[in-house]
Amino acid sequence: MDKEKLLSRIEINPDVMVGKPIIRGLRITVEHVLQSLSAGLKVEELLEEYPDLESDDIRAALLYAAERVNEEQIYKISV
């Protein structure tokens, strides 16, 4: 699946989950997916815990996070 198609799985709606990025309207946040994976939960376990979640949704969450980090800019402030 190409990058744009993956990212289209991520939705932002101010009326859902306080506007946090979610996966395909499932009320599962990108943040939750990332925290679960970083806590050591395996992809298979996450998919089992959330049957509506698909492996491409997890890939989309990872890509979304990577894109946000890629956009970060650090500025040196002289004092």
Side-chain angles (χ1 to χ4, degrees), residues 7-27:
L7 289 176
S8 72
R9 290 173 167 261
I10 306 300
E11 302 172 3
I12 299 174
N13 180 339
D15 297 325
V16 179
M17 302 301 286
V18 201
K20 291 186 177 194
I22 60 170
I23 297 172
R24 295 184 297 112
L26 295 176
R27 300 183 69 84

Side-chain angles (χ1 to χ4, degrees), residues 16-18 22 31-33 35 41 44 51 60-61 69 76-77:
V16 179
M17 302 301 286
V18 201
I22 60 170
E31 176 185 18
H32 180 72
V33 170
Q35 286 178 340
L41 197 66
E44 296 78 18
V69 169
K76 183 176 181 180
I77 299 175

Side-chain angles (χ1 to χ4, degrees), residues 13-69:
N13 180 339
D15 297 325
V16 179
M17 302 301 286
V18 201
K20 291 186 177 194
I22 60 170
I23 297 172
R24 295 184 297 112
L26 295 176
R27 300 183 69 84
I28 300 171
T29 63
V30 169
E31 176 185 18
H32 180 72
V33 170
L34 297 173
Q35 286 178 340
S36 296
L37 293 172
S38 69
L41 197 66
K42 292 182 167 75
V43 170
E44 296 78 18
E45 294 170 321
L46 194 55
L47 293 172
E48 188 176 308
E49 190 171 321
Y50 298 95
D52 291 331
L53 203 60
E54 300 172 1
S55 58
D56 280 340
D57 295 327
I58 296 171
R59 290 180 55 221
L62 293 169
L63 177 59
Y64 180 85
E67 292 288 314
R68 298 298 72 81
V69 169

Side-chain angles (χ1 to χ4, degrees), residues 64-74:
Y64 180 85
E67 292 288 314
R68 298 298 72 81
V69 169
N70 187 47
E71 291 174 358
E72 283 185 359
Q73 295 183 8
I74 307 298

